Amino acid sequence: QVQLQASGGGLVQAGGSLRLSCAASERFASISAMGWFRQAPGKEREFVASMRWSGGDTDYADSVKGRFSISRDMDLQMNSLKPEDTAVYYCASRVLGYSRIVGSWDSWGQGTLVTVSS
């Protein structure tokens, strides 16, 4: 497993943008996908976005489609932010297959807090 660290969070007004980055302890050598998840206070961690390493296919939760985009360098660009986007955001990776299921992902790091005010 690799160690990951998300960064770039902060306080932003509704309608604004943020770009989150994911730093790895070592360069990914063999992963099937990388992704972003978030967890709001009192709620379970949920899937946000991902990219398959082979082919670059992307996957987005319905709540962020058209607003968020993920890149090959692991960045998550977040536009048109809404108060309901407020959460701690985590980047993650997996080495086998692909699924949105949180528990199926292999490597996690410390999250970064995104707070969207209205």
Side-chain angles (χ1 to χ4, degrees):
Q1 293 184 307
V2 298
Q3 294 184 337
L4 305 173
Q5 177 64 58
S7 63
L11 176 64
V12 64
Q13 190 174 16
S17 299
L18 284 174
R19 189 176 183 89
L20 306 184
S21 296
C22 181
S25 60
E26 60 185 85
R27 185 171 295 277
F28 293 138
S30 182
I31 63 170
S32 61
M34 65 83 56
W36 287 90
F37 298 78
R38 67 187 182 187
Q39 186 167 17
K43 301 184 68 176
E44 296 182 4
R45 191 169 300 186
E46 65 178 3
F47 169 81
V48 175
S50 67
M51 174 175 284
R52 298 289 295 273
W53 222 242
S54 178
D57 290 346
T58 55
D59 187 23
Y60 297 94
D62 288 344
S63 59
V64 306
K65 284 182 179 178
R67 300 188 299 118
F68 292 10
S69 63
I70 193 168
S71 68
R72 271 273 171 81
D73 61 1
M74 308 182 197
D75 286 358
L76 180 69
Q77 179 66 46
M78 306 187 296
N79 300 320
S80 301
L81 285 163
K82 305 174 181 180
E84 51 262 46
D85 294 319
T86 295
V88 175
Y89 284 71
Y90 302 86
C91 59
S93 66
R94 63 187 297 136
V95 298
L96 295 174
Y98 177 76
S99 173
R100 289 183 173 191
I101 299 175
V102 173
S104 71
W105 290 71
D106 303 305
S107 299
W108 299 84
Q110 295 297 110
T112 185
L113 177 63
V114 172
T115 303
V116 184
S117 65
S118 61

